[in-house]
Amino acid sequence: MKGWNGRLLRVDLTKGKTAFQEYSSDLATRFVGGRGFAVKLLWDELTPGTNPLSPENMLIFATGPLTGFILPNSGKMVVASKSPLTGGYGDGNVGTQASVNLRRSGIDAVVITGRAERPSYLFVEDGRAEIRDAADLWGLDAFKAERRLKEEHGREAGVVLIGPAGENQARIATVVSQEGRAGGRPGMGAVMGSKNLKALVFHGTRELPAADPSRLKELGREGYQAILGKDRYGFWKRQGTMATVEWCQEHSTLPTYNCREGVFDEADAISGTTMEKMVIKQRGCPNCNMICGNVIEDSEGRESELDYENVTMLGSDIGLGDLRKVATLNRMCDELGLDTISAGSAVAFAMEAAEKKLIDLDIGWGDFDGAKALLADIAHMRGHGATLGLGVKAAAEKIGGGADGFAIHVKGLECSAYACHLCPGMALSFGTSPIGAHHKDAWVISWEISTGKRAEYNPEKADKVIEFQRIRGGMFEALVTCRFPWIELGFELDWYPKYFEAATGVKTSLDELWALGDRVYALIRAFWVREFGDDWSRQMDYPPKRWFDEPLTKGPLKGSHLDRDKYDKLLQAYYDKRGWDDRGIPTKATMDRLNLSAEAAELAKYVKLN
Ligand code: PTT
Ligand code: SF4
């Protein structure tokens, strides 16, 4: 096989053993890489009902056949596991030198099981792997620990690691890297902590095996050149994802006061334009020429790398309109290894619970010091943080008193930063995302608003959600490159089949890549259904209650809210188009069509297939 290394690394932390293993060509041809590899391995090897924080759970770091080649934005990898936050499939995508080094060490993925007796880290270098002692790293924040590891292993080492939040198994802990990259929102950091695993360090010097190296090199050069020529390049370089703040404010979708509102009086103070004047440097992922991590000095004089999601969930959503203070909370999350979206949502939830006198906590909207204290408590799972660190769904169940009405999540994963009171298409995207409420798979909100039909529930919206899920959640997560060249600058999708062919020698088309996306989606859905059994229902594909029950009270869209009956019809249209039944489960015919017949037979042991 060219393009792929054809080997993965198995690590059993309980036994202290590592082993390199060739994987089947079927895994590569049917599932390609990244998310595709992750779900197939979890489906085949994880016993249903496994406690996500037990040694038996699997933690997977997976790259794809484009990762690491000198191609636009190819320095990314997927981290996946059964999620302790949702109980279903969970993954995330992190940009890091570790992805490139992992590939150049001669493997495509690492599969970790067991639990180390003592705090440990994994060291991988060109065909060898060792589990090493991490006693002196345990307890350190992620920045300090990564610096320590780089002092020992060199600046070129690629490191992914957890902070105290992962160590303490906060269910909203993520995996972090490079002081400003993070991935694995649905508690992948907690899974890593439950394994007593502080970090993975990769060194790699091997040449990646391309099918047609000179063609790949040429295509890579042309691709980078094409990106530089895109109209939006200059603006993107100035603002990155932060331009979305102003756009969301304009369209009443800015998450504000725990997603109660879509406009924030102090939006200007946390906008991309405000940030532009504060930027001191930019950082980003390897192999990228559109670096988008904008770094500013926070309120305590330290560096903090900003993104739209981070700034709004730790800003407008908690009522804080001071960008340097928001940056401080953002930096804290990166150091502690807390997902900024879920952490912001948990703080906002706590502020609202306190306002409604459902919890005894002295905190108000915009309370910076209160938010700081709460983030530290969540990361250490102490005080109110012990409840909030379980995620807002579980916290609402514990608190009671109607708190579930303002817990902003789908399937237990907190919503990323879009208030969808008048965006049924985006609500469907959150509802049907394969990991819980994340925008990453189908960010249809911009398309939906630009059509001028945002209030409609027409089936065209289900088509668009599926189209985006195929591209973003399917193709990009399996090839494993960053999707920003395409979605932000309009870098044409046709490049990717060409890259794939030059890397692997396998001819493909966009249609085949969409079919891959559908296959991966069907198997992820099967994974959820196998875990939940009779508790599975279409209600799990509903967006948060708040957007149905509580109209916006401010801004030009005052009075807007989602409609349950209409949403349900839109959801049915989505199921019909996907070939899933009215419970949202892929039918046998659909699974056969997607070359998943053996997987369908396995699923039929748990639920009646239509
Ligand atoms: C992603 C989610 C996002 S989505 C953001 S900002 W975004 C938050 N970033 C966090 C952070 O930072 N620190 C932290 N402690 N928690 C964070 N949680 C949030 O996590 C990121 C970019 C971004 S910035 C996005 S959209 C794109 N995401 C991609 C993706 O998912 N797939 C892909 N093939 N390409 C992508 N390109 C873009 O990458 P999750 P990163 Mg992220 C600090 O992981 O779990 O998917 O959640 O990876 O390297 O930080 O780059 O407005
Ligand atoms: Fe990373 Fe941003 Fe470049 Fe994507 S565009 S690879 S997220 S730096």
Side-chain angles (χ1 to χ4, degrees):
M1 281 193 307
K2 294 286 183 173
W4 296 274
N5 283 307
R7 297 205 316 164
L8 49 84
L9 171 64
R10 299 258 179 196
V11 180
D12 182 335
L13 290 166
T14 304
K15 293 187 179 143
K17 292 241 160 73
T18 63
F20 291 91
Q21 184 193 49
E22 290 193 1
Y23 58 79
S24 70
S25 58
D26 174 63
L27 187 64
T29 49
R30 268 202 305 156
F31 294 95
V32 175
R35 173 182 264 180
F37 274 19
V39 66
K40 177 62 173 154
L41 290 163
L42 284 163
W43 175 262
D44 284 348
E45 298 178 22
L46 192 73
T47 307
T50 298
N51 175 349
L53 297 175
S54 70
E56 289 73 31
N57 196 10
M58 299 159 68
L59 178 65
I60 300 172
F61 292 84
T63 61
L66 299 190
T67 311
F69 283 116
I70 307 298
L71 297 173
N73 310 36
S74 65
K76 292 249 171 200
M77 73 177 164
V78 169
V79 48
S81 191
K82 177 175 172 182
S83 162
L85 185 61
T86 68
Y89 174 82
D91 73 16
N93 192 305
V94 56
T96 166
Q97 187 61 38
S99 66
V100 177
N101 292 9
L102 181 156
R103 287 266 286 163
R104 289 173 62 92
S105 76
I107 54 175
D108 297 319
V110 181
V111 182
I112 302 163
T113 52
R115 175 181 292 146
E117 219 168 280
R118 283 179 295 278
S120 303
Y121 76 94
L122 180 72
F123 177 73
V124 182
E125 179 175 41
D126 290 343
R128 76 188 172 96
E130 284 169 24
I131 300 163
R132 296 189 175 180
D133 186 67
D136 60 342
L137 299 174
W138 205 253
L140 290 185
D141 74 50
F143 288 29
K144 290 198 184 90
E146 182 163 356
R147 282 176 200 167
R148 196 72 78 82
L149 283 163
K150 285 193 167 162
E151 271 162 30
E152 183 165 347
H153 295 288
R155 289 201 55 74
E156 67 287 357
V159 181
V160 280
L161 76 170
I162 54 171
E167 294 175 11
N168 295 308
Q169 299 174 32
R171 310 305 190 262
I172 58 174
T174 189
V175 172
V176 289
S177 185
Q178 299 182 187
E179 305 186 6
R181 312 269 110 206
R185 292 197 52 218
M188 305 301 97
V191 176
M192 198 157 149
S194 76
K195 300 193 172 305
N196 256 335
L197 184 64
K198 179 72 179 177
L200 292 85
V201 181
F202 296 94
H203 260 298
T205 57
R206 294 181 175 182
E207 200 63 30
L208 285 177
D212 188 343
S214 59
R215 174 88 179 122
L216 195 63
K217 207 166 158 192
E218 186 191 328
L219 282 170
R221 200 170 40 237
E222 289 172 5
Y224 284 117
Q225 210 50 46
I227 286 173
L228 291 178
K230 293 291 175 193
D231 291 346
R232 273 177 57 84
Y233 185 83
F235 182 63
W236 171 261
K237 282 289 288 169
R238 291 207 321 270
Q239 292 212 358
T241 57
M242 283 289 287
T244 316
V245 177
E246 279 164 57
W247 185 85
C248 278
Q249 172 79 350
E250 187 188 335
H251 296 288
S252 297
T253 56
L254 194 73
T256 306
Y257 301 122
N258 196 24
C259 258
R260 192 151 68 185
E261 305 294 347
V263 290
F264 182 46
D265 290 345
E266 295 163 83
D268 283 349
I270 59 165
S271 70
T273 307
T274 299
M275 178 203 70
E276 268 195 59
K277 297 172 202 134
M278 300 180 179
V279 173
I280 50 175
K281 63 164 93 153
Q282 291 189 309
R283 290 200 293 250
C285 316
N287 296 359
C288 173
N289 69 342
M290 46 184 285
I291 290 295
C292 68
N294 287 298
V295 179
I296 71 164
E297 209 171 81
D298 75 3
S299 60
E300 296 170 5
R302 304 176 316 160
E303 291 182 0
S304 178
E305 186 179 325
L306 304 181
D307 260 307
Y308 167 75
E309 305 289 330
N310 309 339
V311 165
T312 49
M313 295 308 291
L314 296 166
S316 49
D317 207 46
I318 67 167
L320 181 61
D322 178 323
L323 194 56
R324 292 203 194 274
K325 287 184 175 169
V326 172
T328 299
L329 302 182
N330 176 55
R331 168 145 179 157
M332 272 186 82
C333 286
D334 285 345
E335 286 175 334
L336 294 167
L338 275 175
D339 173 57
T340 49
I341 296 172
S342 292
S345 187
V347 172
F349 171 85
M351 287 173 171
E352 185 158 353
E355 181 184 63
K356 293 188 157 82
K357 307 219 175 320
L358 293 175
I359 55 172
D360 182 17
L361 179 66
D362 185 16
I363 193 167
W365 295 109
D367 178 349
F368 172 61
D369 291 326
K372 270 178 78 175
L374 212 44
L375 290 178
D377 285 350
I378 291 172
H380 291 90
M381 292 296 274
R382 64 190 178 212
H384 287 291
T387 303
L388 296 165
L390 300 174
V392 297
K393 176 174 184 274
E397 281 160 11
K398 275 194 150 189
I399 291 167
D404 61 328
F406 58 90
I408 311 299
H409 71 92
V410 175
K411 300 182 184 72
L413 180 66
E414 289 73 15
C415 288
S416 36
Y418 303 93
C420 292
H421 301 73
L422 196 64
C423 297
M426 192 62 213
L428 180 70
S429 161
F430 276 140
T432 60
S433 151
I435 58 169
H438 201 354
H439 64 287
K440 68 183 281 173
D441 283 75
W443 192 70
V444 297
I445 191 166
S446 152
W447 167 84
E448 179 171 40
I449 289 175
S450 71
T451 59
K453 298 179 189 165
R454 66 182 287 183
E456 291 183 15
Y457 292 73
N458 59 54
E460 199 192 336
K461 295 198 174 181
D463 284 324
K464 199 67 178 179
V465 169
I466 293 171
E467 179 192 326
F468 271 34
Q469 289 176 337
R470 284 175 175 153
I471 300 170
R472 296 165 64 110
M475 186 182 89
F476 282 112
E477 297 310 314
L479 298 178
V480 195
T481 65
C482 175
R483 62 172 183 259
F484 276 166
W486 162 70
I487 192 71
E488 298 294 347
L489 302 187
F491 183 65
E492 296 76 10
L493 289 172
D494 296 339
W495 286 95
Y496 294 94
K498 289 190 228 162
Y499 288 149
F500 184 77
E501 187 178 346
T504 65
V506 179
K507 205 167 174 49
T508 191
S509 63
L510 286 174
D511 282 340
E512 279 177 5
L513 291 170
W514 307 160
L516 159 73
D518 289 351
R519 184 176 308 122
V520 169
Y521 260 65
L523 195 57
I524 292 180
R525 185 46 72 117
F527 183 91
W528 277 91
V529 172
R530 188 172 71 171
E531 290 297 333
F532 279 77
D534 290 340
D535 288 339
W536 179 265
S537 86
R538 66 190 281 143
Q539 298 301 320
M540 292 181 75
D541 287 338
Y542 267 54
K545 286 182 184 170
R546 162 154 279 172
W547 298 339
F548 291 112
D549 299 339
E550 294 178 48
L552 294 170
T553 70
K554 289 161 89 179
L557 297 184
K558 187 174 163 183
S560 302
H561 63 93
L562 291 177
D563 180 296
R564 267 204 180 75
D565 288 344
K566 290 180 183 167
Y567 179 82
D568 202 61
K569 289 198 180 83
L570 183 59
L571 181 62
Q572 189 60 47
Y574 173 92
Y575 290 162
D576 292 345
K577 287 164 193 290
R578 276 220 171 272
W580 296 359
D581 68 16
D582 59 11
R583 299 165 298 172
I585 301 175
T587 63
K588 176 155 183 338
T590 298
M591 293 197 59
D592 286 343
R593 176 171 55 78
L594 294 172
N595 198 2
L596 291 171
S597 299
E599 290 80 1
E602 161 72 5
L603 182 59
K605 293 181 195 158
Y606 296 85
V607 65
K608 187 175 168 304
L609 280 197
N610 287 318

